[in-house]
Amino acid sequence: MTVVPELTEHERAHEAAESRRGFLMALPAYLYLIVFFAIPLAIVFVYSFATRSRTGGTDLSGWNLDSYGRLGEDIVTRVVFRSFGLAMTTTIICLLLAYPFAYFVATRRPAVRGLLLVGVMIPFWTNFLVRNYAWRVLLSNDGPVSQFTEAVGLGETQILFTQVAVVIGLVYGFLPFMILPLYASLERIDPRLIEASRDLYASSWASFRKVVLPLSRPGAIAGSILVFVPSFGAYVTPAILGGDKKPLLGSYIVSQFLTARNWPFGASLSSVLIIVMLSATLVYFRAGGRNL
Amino acid sequence: MIRGWTARLLGGATGLVYLFLYAPVLLLVVFSFSADRNVGRWGGFTLEWYREFGANENVQSALAISLQVAIVSTLVATVLGTLAALALERFRFRGKKVFDALLYLPIIIPDVTMAVMMLLFFTWSLDLVDTVTGFQLRKGIATVVVSHIAFNISFVSVVVRARLEGMDQTLEQAAADLYASRWQAFRHVTLPLILPGIVGGALLALTLSLDDVVITQFASGPGSTTLPVYVFGLIRRGVTPLINAVSVVMLAASVLLVVLSLIAQRSREPGRATTE
């Protein structure tokens, strides 16, 4: 039998006071987020069950699943699959670029490491719109990229307003999201494990594949989710670098509010995006994302 | 430690990633000084586009609105976010887990969905105010500020919490042992130690507020166009040398804020010896 130490009345009163104090400190932010985040989130779900009136307004009485029924339409599935494909492509390219980078940084001396990481943090927090715009300039008709390809004899290239341009912009925007968690998991690997594998006659490749790769998996999963989620719902990048002909999920949602004026349908698309995002986040935390 | 050709190969790949990260923005800076009207061509040095930036009234008023929104939302978010961080790191209370989860959501939600949330919320709530009180409120600078605070609280609290987590709690206990009141211990021990985190969080909030396009676009009304929203609209109509200049100014501002924030957060690890 375990003995539970009895709290004296004084201790219990102290604990209650502490709890109250903590609650009061959290209260302003708590209330703010309930009113200006949780309620708006709930309203999106409510609107997704509403009906679009003929004038483009929204009728909140008479709930129905019509908007969700539209999710099966051809145009919607095409938009979703296109966005999914682009987000996957972006994620894989980021993974391929970030892995050698993170591995190199993680194996440097601590002082060098810090410097190399700051080099990633700066573009990471630099104005996102401007970073996308930089590619718009680079890829523009007779812009630098086109001048370069003409000079080397590849002829004029037309990358701007294609999906290639969108992927370039997304990789450019979200690459640090992949680098940072990957680096965190690689940096934490005990070098003695690698030494031990080498002592046991593993080739450097075998030791990488059997020791480093499995241990860096949580970082790779976390980074992939951090890149995939914003790429899947991206709006600014496709609007600047992509064409109008092939809409992606983000712009498709926005157009339901600004041009098509079908708010319930836009709300149902947003709800689905939120649910995808929440499931991905659960996977992220399962993979140990909180510690990254 | 890896050596030999693998290291050289990895080093080369690292160099290429840096080139990829920095070359586009550096070229943009160069082209902003180009006299050629085609945005991606070099046509000799000029400051013409920066002069246009200074003279353009739309740009100037959008800039003023951006600064107002950023400063007000940062101040509020810093206070609320810091309190939230302290509560979560130092106290146990009812509803803590739910609060923790709620605090993470604005960080991970895609901005398009947050934008939709704000649009629907303000439409619904301003309608409600109208029917209940008869006041006809419109979306404007206030609604933009409200939406920016909503995402900035979370970012501030994450940065401050990281600082609190790394802090040596025995210092607070020592202060208590020396008969400091709770407030004195906070004021003279905790606060100075987490101040770099608070400053870092505030600078991050400023950066994010000056960065946002989609959420602002959906939360704003007539007369509350911020600089990024204005520039975004311009870009969609076509690129001009003026946009180059405005972009470079925005770029310079955000780089400055990031560097300041990194310096603030790196200054003296909390409660540990300064040598490492």
Side-chain angles (χ1 to χ4, degrees):
Chain A
M1 211 180 98
T2 52
V3 183
V4 181
E6 282 269 326
L7 292 178
T8 63
E9 206 162 302
H10 177 74
E11 278 169 334
R12 218 174 295 140
H14 179 72
E15 203 140 279
E18 280 293 273
S19 165
R20 208 163 39 239
R21 195 173 275 144
F23 183 76
L24 283 177
M25 286 175 87
L27 197 61
Y30 212 161
L31 282 179
Y32 195 96
L33 287 178
I34 287 173
V35 175
F36 296 115
F37 192 87
I39 291 178
L41 191 63
I43 290 177
V44 172
F45 286 114
V46 170
Y47 265 74
S48 71
F49 297 106
T51 318
R52 177 183 190 266
S53 73
R54 237 179 251 156
T55 50
T58 305
D59 181 10
L60 284 173
S61 60
W63 285 28
N64 59 69
L65 287 169
D66 292 357
S67 298
Y68 287 94
R70 282 197 59 193
L71 295 177
E73 279 176 21
D74 251 9
I75 164 89
V76 181
T77 46
R78 248 180 291 139
V79 166
V80 169
F81 277 113
R82 191 182 297 135
S83 305
F84 184 84
L86 275 181
M88 278 307 267
T89 314
T90 304
T91 308
I92 291 166
I93 293 175
C94 281
L95 197 56
L96 293 177
L97 287 176
Y99 206 100
F101 182 92
Y103 194 69
F104 182 77
V105 176
T107 50
R108 296 305 98 186
R109 278 182 292 118
V112 181
R113 244 186 260 167
L115 213 62
L116 287 170
L117 275 184
V118 170
V120 180
M121 292 302 286
I122 291 173
F124 181 49
W125 291 116
T126 299
N127 197 294
F128 187 73
L129 179 67
V130 173
R131 281 188 287 151
N132 279 293
Y133 176 70
W135 278 101
R136 173 74 174 256
V137 171
L138 289 187
L139 297 175
S140 61
N141 288 338
D142 30 88
V145 171
S146 173
Q147 285 170 39
F148 175 78
T149 52
E150 261 175 77
V152 297
L154 284 170
E156 214 173 298
T157 45
Q158 184 49 267
I159 301 176
L160 192 61
F161 304 136
T162 65
Q163 302 202 358
V164 178
V166 177
V167 171
I168 292 175
L170 291 174
V171 170
Y172 191 60
F174 300 134
L175 184 60
F177 279 133
M178 185 68 89
I179 290 176
L180 297 172
L182 255 184
Y183 164 79
S185 68
L186 283 167
E187 191 252 354
R188 209 174 301 157
I189 296 177
D190 189 339
R192 284 173 299 181
L193 289 175
I194 300 168
E195 275 165 36
S197 73
R198 298 306 301 269
D199 288 345
L200 295 167
Y201 300 106
S203 66
S204 57
W205 170 244
S207 124
F208 172 76
R209 212 168 52 89
K210 299 258 162 100
V211 179
V212 178
L213 210 52
L215 286 173
S216 63
R217 189 174 298 142
I221 293 174
S224 299
I225 290 165
L226 288 179
V227 172
F228 182 85
V229 169
S231 302
F232 189 53
Y235 168 65
V236 171
T237 308
I240 292 177
L241 296 170
D244 289 332
K245 279 172 215 137
K246 293 186 169 169
L248 294 169
L249 189 56
S251 28
Y252 193 60
I253 291 177
V254 167
S255 73
Q256 297 310 318
F257 291 95
L258 297 187
T259 48
R261 294 199 70 78
N262 190 340
W263 290 20
F265 182 48
S268 73
L269 287 166
S270 307
S271 307
V272 172
L273 186 57
I274 290 167
I275 289 162
V276 169
M277 184 273 305
L278 283 178
S279 337
T281 311
L282 282 179
V283 175
Y284 172 75
F285 282 126
R286 283 262 170 89
R290 185 169 288 239
N291 300 320
L292 294 171
Chain B
M1 198 67 144
I2 37 162
R3 290 177 202 87
W5 64 270
T6 344
R8 241 168 282 147
L9 209 66
L10 286 173
T14 305
L16 283 179
V17 168
Y18 273 119
L19 187 70
F20 175 66
L21 287 177
Y22 282 92
V25 281
L26 290 179
L27 281 171
L28 179 66
V29 174
V30 171
F31 285 124
S32 72
F33 295 106
S34 163
D36 200 311
R37 281 215 156 260
N38 279 324
V39 289
R41 274 185 176 278
W42 183 251
F45 181 85
T46 182
L47 287 174
E48 175 64 25
W49 319 123
Y50 287 95
R51 221 165 288 142
E52 205 178 321
F53 167 82
N56 188 311
E57 274 174 27
N58 287 332
V59 171
Q60 291 304 317
S61 73
L63 176 63
I65 290 170
S66 271
L67 290 175
Q68 283 173 38
V69 169
I71 290 168
V72 176
S73 69
T74 297
L75 287 175
V76 178
T78 304
V79 174
L80 296 190
T82 303
L83 283 173
L86 282 164
L88 285 168
E89 285 297 317
R90 290 288 184 268
F91 295 93
R92 269 182 302 171
F93 54 92
R94 217 178 257 251
K96 183 173 166 174
K97 277 205 172 133
V98 179
F99 180 52
D100 200 0
L102 185 62
L103 207 50
Y104 265 98
L105 276 178
I107 297 178
I108 47 184
I109 207 157
D111 31 350
V112 167
T113 33
M114 181 130 178
V116 169
M117 283 161 52
M118 291 304 141
L119 175 70
L120 299 185
F121 173 73
F122 288 126
T123 307
W124 170 82
S125 58
L126 297 183
D127 257 10
L128 192 70
V129 170
D130 186 13
T131 40
V132 173
T133 64
F135 280 119
Q136 287 196 326
L137 301 174
R138 289 262 180 96
K139 285 191 296 175
I141 294 180
T143 49
V144 175
V145 170
V146 166
S147 67
H148 283 209
I149 295 171
F151 62 74
N152 271 337
I153 289 177
S154 303
F155 285 95
V156 172
S157 84
V158 163
V159 177
V160 177
R161 278 181 84 177
R163 189 81 188 176
L164 277 165
E165 257 171 25
M167 189 181 137
D168 193 349
Q169 281 203 45
T170 51
L171 290 172
E172 284 165 352
Q173 286 156 11
D177 288 346
L178 295 166
Y179 301 104
S181 70
R182 273 209 91 106
W183 168 248
Q184 284 172 323
F186 174 75
R187 171 71 189 73
H188 296 289
V189 178
T190 316
L191 188 63
L193 284 171
I194 63 167
L195 198 60
I198 299 176
V199 173
L203 288 166
L204 180 59
L206 267 181
T207 313
L208 290 169
S209 179
L210 291 171
D211 216 38
D212 182 70
V213 175
V214 199
I215 297 167
T216 310
Q217 201 178 21
F218 274 50
S220 62
S224 57
T225 305
T226 61
L227 192 57
V229 172
Y230 183 68
V231 170
F232 182 64
L234 285 183
I235 296 173
R236 302 210 71 183
R237 267 177 271 144
V239 290
T240 60
L242 172 67
I243 305 178
N244 281 2
V246 180
S247 299
V248 172
V249 172
M250 283 159 66
L251 187 75
S254 67
V255 169
L256 181 73
L257 289 172
V258 178
V259 172
L260 286 177
S261 151
L262 286 172
I263 291 172
Q265 285 174 67
R266 259 154 197 278
S267 69
R268 251 179 341 119
E269 277 291 294
R272 289 202 198 106
T274 42
T275 49
E276 200 196 19

